[in-house]
Amino acid sequence: MQALKEIHSPFVPLPVENVDTDQIIPARFLKATTRDGFGKNLFRDWRYENDDETKPKADFVLNQSKFSGSILVAGKNFGCGSSREHAAWALLDYGFKAVVSSFFADIFKNNALNNGVLPVIVSEGFLQKIFSLEPAEALQIDVAAQTITIEKTGEKESFELNPYKKTCLLNGYDDIDFLISRKEVIEQFETAKG
Amino acid sequence: MGKTLFDKIWDAHVVEKIEDGPSVLYIDRHFIHEVTSPQAFKGIEKRGLSLFRPKQTIATADHNVPTLNQHLPIKDQLSKMQVDQLIENCEKHGVELYGLGHPYQGIVHVIGPELGMTQPGMTIVCGDSHTSTHGAFGTIAFGIGTSEVEMVFASQCVLQTKPKTMRINIEGTLQPGVVSKDIILYIIAKISASGATGYFVEYAGSTIRSLSMESRMTICNMSIEMGARGGMIAPDQVTYDYVKGRVYAPKGNAWEQKLSEWKELYSDSDAVFDAELHIDASEIEPMITYGTNPGLGIPVKAQIPLLESIASEGERKNIEQALRYMDLQSGASLLGMPIQHVFIGSCTNSRIEDLRLVANLVKGRKKHDSVKVMIVPGSQQVAKQVHAEGLDKIFTEAGFQIRQAGCSACLGMNEDKVPAGEYCISTSNRNFEGRQGAGARTLLASPLTAAAAAITGVVTDVRELIK
């Protein structure tokens, strides 16, 4: 996993609530056996008319040149539905390093963190403030300080991040390395459990 | 202070707690399938590891499999590759696989319970959000991502932050025509698709106690649809009777010992939950969804909410978009609306009890000419039972098509899809945009409501047919 310390980027606004993982990456694209290449099918059915890559839907944010950047800002309850980690892989592969919302579904949040995509939980008010900004304006996310700042106005909000997960993100550590290092303790637990 | 059922099982499985961090949670049973496991197998191989406890993992092929001609090679090459990869991975790593052609093959959340692999007091995970189904047995069961599948492969543990607990008490007698699917659709409509996020839910009360195991599984199955990590129900005599004698169930002295452990699995009377909800079962009517998340549901004879009555702007926009996708009108009634497809199956409602319920209603009746009806048993064992009990004759005479075991038209991964723009009453768990195929329009309902629509060709209050 890549270490993630700071993001400074314009953002892509997706002011839709309850964005489910079937929208982020539809089931028919889950047939790969590697983690790569999901970005081109990110939001596939919202991106193209009749599943035709030559017909991008003009009103969808990923098809509008005025929006770009490595931060996606979405309405509340982002990532609900299926446990497919492919959703996190698709966001990462497309180039998103963080998703900002007022509320995330649990499994998505774990999946994102396990892949170095930072879920930033902001207040509903701050979220609406970001949505009202001109898109070219940049956001700054500081992982160590756990803050998100609107660059132009300097408005800032702190976000929660589990200290263990923060260490993982800042250093690019992953949970599997940690668990493997605990094998003896796990074996002792098994023996005691019988 | 007493402990909740959740606390009891959780505490018994914490290997260690990381300071200011998650816990290392030991996993008793790991189910895998072809879609969310290949990258995890690759991951441990890349690290030069083998499976830490391969005997605690069980595999099946369900998401990608065709539900016709399962004896032939899978036609879709990508699906075939994923299923072949599962076979190869299981062979290489010593994992028991109930693949196509095996008498135990089926949907992962159907086969676990029917084989007796799901037992009270366990921790169970699978790379599939509907792992919450197994909570019906008094287990901590939840869906995980592929990185976590890899964690279980490598260490038989996952890192988890302890969720909050919620208890939903349901008391009283259900009206005729109302079944467990209506209970869970009612709850989700009441608290929304995100109403239980951050919580693990225990379902309790006299209504829950009166339900069969299969009905309990339907409720726990959809806990994830209100955001809960999982749902659970304390085991009782109904649970023990269901587990006893199944292939993997403990036998002899081991059974007696387990039984005495299981009898301790309940929330103490002085246990405190972070949230509690009370529901009067008699208020629940047959339910149906009109929108594109499972929280957008109404009683089948009610009207779609008026947009102007919705205070939250975000929610109003959400419903507006849903109605546009569904081509439905705010304030309208769904009753009498023509539908083109009925799908009875999925890990929510593909068990023998669901199919018996449907057969009882349709016996001696025929499906409406304009509707295609698919019955998809959840497992080879359920399919066998359908034939043994003669339900297949009832379905065939009604004009329903019976297919072979798999996830089928629950999600658009296999060949069973609903064409764009057409309506399907489905007993599955999700009505997301494109869930049953790009552009497909899904109305979630109980097997009874689905069967009623199959007969009339339109959205119907099943109570009209059982008068």
Side-chain angles (χ1 to χ4, degrees), chain A residues 46 85 174 182 190 193, chain B residues 16 26 28 47 53 147:
Chain A
W46 286 355
E85 195 163 312
D174 85 26
R182 307 309 292 159
E190 286 179 318
K193 194 168 173 264
Chain B
E16 60 180 334
Y26 191 79
D28 295 316
R47 290 167 197 259
R53 296 289 178 254
S147 294

Side-chain angles (χ1 to χ4, degrees), chain B residues 141-444:
Chain B
F142 54 92
I144 54 176
T146 299
S147 294
E148 291 166 312
V149 171
E150 194 177 328
M151 289 180 208
V152 184
F153 281 170
S155 68
Q156 203 55 37
C157 291
V158 284
L159 285 174
Q160 285 292 305
T161 304
K162 194 176 179 182
K164 292 181 283 183
T165 56
M166 178 189 289
R167 180 161 61 187
I168 301 182
N169 303 285
I170 308 150
E171 301 285 352
T173 310
L174 293 169
Q175 296 178 36
V178 177
V179 292
S180 72
K181 179 65 162 286
D182 300 305
I183 300 178
I184 190 66
L185 285 173
Y186 177 86
I187 295 171
I188 304 169
K190 201 177 174 80
I191 73 171
S192 92
S194 61
T197 303
Y199 291 91
F200 217 95
V201 173
E202 180 180 342
Y203 302 95
S206 63
T207 316
I208 295 293
R209 298 261 75 90
S210 73
L211 298 175
S212 70
M213 280 318 293
E214 303 203 343
S215 292
R216 294 177 189 186
M217 282 186 246
T218 301
I219 292 182
C220 289
N221 173 277
M222 289 190 72
S223 305
I224 184 73
E225 309 306 343
M226 51 186 177
R229 262 342 291 272
M232 66 197 319
I233 293 170
D236 58 12
Q237 196 60 43
V238 176
T239 322
Y240 317 142
D241 291 347
Y242 180 96
V243 177
K244 198 171 186 179
R246 291 183 186 264
V247 180
Y248 282 84
K251 310 267 177 340
N253 285 340
W255 171 262
E256 293 306 324
Q257 198 202 319
K258 281 287 172 198
L259 196 59
S260 66
E261 289 173 24
W262 296 346
K263 289 188 171 165
E264 299 301 314
L265 296 173
Y266 53 83
S267 289
D268 295 332
S269 57
D270 55 345
V272 177
F273 290 79
D274 297 300
E276 206 147 1
L277 193 70
H278 296 274
I279 285 166
D280 175 357
S282 68
E283 286 176 5
I284 306 173
E285 296 186 75
M287 296 288 293
I288 194 160
T289 64
Y290 62 88
T292 53
N293 76 58
L296 301 179
I298 48 173
V300 72
K301 60 168 202 203
Q303 273 121 30
I304 297 171
L306 285 166
L307 280 174
E308 48 270 33
S309 72
I310 295 154
S312 147
E313 194 197 337
E315 197 185 330
R316 193 165 58 241
K317 273 193 189 160
N318 199 239
I319 295 180
E320 239 174 344
Q321 180 175 336
L323 291 176
R324 207 176 309 127
Y325 180 84
M326 296 294 289
D327 194 21
L328 294 172
Q329 301 305 316
S330 156
S333 169
L334 291 171
L335 272 186
M337 184 185 91
I339 46 119
Q340 291 77 46
H341 302 267
V342 170
F343 167 57
I344 295 169
S346 90
C347 59
T348 319
N349 285 121
S350 64
R351 297 177 177 83
I352 190 66
E353 183 183 291
D354 301 308
L355 304 187
R356 283 186 196 133
L357 203 62
V358 172
N360 264 337
L361 186 80
V362 303
K363 195 172 183 176
R365 291 171 158 144
K366 287 213 183 317
K367 76 165 185 73
H368 193 271
D369 282 346
S370 59
V371 186
K372 287 188 188 131
V373 186
M374 272 206 301
I375 303 264
V376 188
S379 71
Q380 303 293 345
Q381 294 209 83
V382 172
K384 208 169 135 190
Q385 213 168 341
V386 163
H387 289 274
E389 295 182 15
L391 308 185
D392 56 326
K393 285 197 194 73
I394 298 172
F395 293 142
T396 311
E397 278 165 18
F400 294 5
Q401 189 186 31
I402 313 172
R403 297 171 78 108
Q404 292 168 298
C407 293
S408 187
C410 172
L411 83 173
M413 254 201 111
N414 49 70
E415 293 161 9
D416 306 345
K417 292 185 180 71
V418 174
E422 297 191 7
Y423 291 96
C424 178
I425 294 207
S426 173
T427 67
S428 57
N429 37 50
R430 290 192 172 137
N431 49 358
F432 298 150
E433 288 185 23
R435 174 75 178 179
Q436 295 193 284
R441 293 170 173 153
T442 304
L443 308 165
L444 300 176

Side-chain angles (χ1 to χ4, degrees), chain B residues 2-248:
Chain B
K3 281 182 162 190
T4 66
L5 168 63
F6 180 84
D7 290 335
K8 288 180 183 177
I9 304 173
W10 177 273
D11 292 350
H13 288 83
V14 172
V15 175
E16 60 180 334
K17 165 98 176 65
I18 301 169
E19 210 189 322
D20 285 337
S23 292
V24 177
L25 188 72
Y26 191 79
I27 300 303
D28 295 316
R29 188 75 77 197
H30 185 199
F31 293 109
I32 62 170
H33 59 84
E34 76 279 17
V35 183
T36 55
S37 70
Q39 293 87 350
F41 276 112
K42 278 209 173 84
I44 56 157
E45 284 173 5
K46 219 166 111 189
R47 290 167 197 259
L49 297 171
S50 51
L51 261 63
F52 186 59
R53 296 289 178 254
K55 299 283 173 254
Q56 283 163 253
T57 296
I58 297 279
T60 191
D62 54 9
H63 284 60
N64 266 300
V65 302
T67 57
L68 288 176
N69 296 316
Q70 288 184 342
H71 61 290
L72 297 176
I74 300 177
K75 276 188 262 173
D76 180 315
Q77 284 310 300
L78 286 173
S79 294
K80 183 173 184 303
M81 203 167 79
Q82 224 172 31
V83 172
D84 286 348
Q85 183 93 68
L86 181 70
I87 298 169
E88 197 186 309
N89 282 331
C90 288
E91 268 172 16
K92 194 158 40 163
H93 293 277
V95 172
E96 179 92 11
L97 167 67
Y98 299 136
L100 274 185
H102 195 285
Y104 294 163
Q105 180 265 336
I107 306 176
V108 65
H109 311 306
V110 175
I111 70 168
E114 80 180 2
L115 291 170
M117 284 187 282
T118 302
Q119 295 166 20
M122 283 183 164
T123 47
I124 298 177
V125 293
C126 173
D128 187 291
S129 60
H130 293 106
T131 309
S132 60
T133 312
H134 307 267
F137 291 79
T139 72
I140 292 183
F142 54 92
I144 54 176
T146 299
S147 294
E148 291 166 312
V149 171
E150 194 177 328
M151 289 180 208
V152 184
F153 281 170
S155 68
Q156 203 55 37
C157 291
V158 284
L159 285 174
Q160 285 292 305
T161 304
K162 194 176 179 182
K164 292 181 283 183
T165 56
M166 178 189 289
R167 180 161 61 187
I168 301 182
N169 303 285
I170 308 150
E171 301 285 352
T173 310
L174 293 169
Q175 296 178 36
V178 177
V179 292
S180 72
K181 179 65 162 286
D182 300 305
I183 300 178
I184 190 66
L185 285 173
Y186 177 86
I187 295 171
I188 304 169
K190 201 177 174 80
I191 73 171
S192 92
S194 61
T197 303
Y199 291 91
F200 217 95
V201 173
E202 180 180 342
Y203 302 95
S206 63
T207 316
I208 295 293
R209 298 261 75 90
S210 73
L211 298 175
S212 70
M213 280 318 293
E214 303 203 343
S215 292
R216 294 177 189 186
M217 282 186 246
T218 301
I219 292 182
C220 289
N221 173 277
M222 289 190 72
S223 305
I224 184 73
E225 309 306 343
M226 51 186 177
R229 262 342 291 272
M232 66 197 319
I233 293 170
D236 58 12
Q237 196 60 43
V238 176
T239 322
Y240 317 142
D241 291 347
Y242 180 96
V243 177
K244 198 171 186 179
R246 291 183 186 264
V247 180
Y248 282 84

Side-chain angles (χ1 to χ4, degrees), chain A residues 38-80:
Chain A
F38 290 101
K40 73 181 169 75
N41 296 319
L42 177 71
F43 293 114
R44 177 80 187 198
D45 293 333
W46 286 355
R47 240 162 116 183
Y48 304 111
E49 289 294 350
N50 304 320
D51 206 7
D52 183 345
E53 279 174 53
T54 64
K55 291 182 188 155
K57 290 183 183 172
D59 59 348
F60 187 60
V61 284
L62 294 191
N63 297 327
Q64 297 177 9
S65 55
K66 62 177 175 175
F67 298 119
S68 67
S70 56
I71 302 171
L72 179 70
V73 182
K76 76 168 185 196
N77 201 27
F78 185 84
C80 60

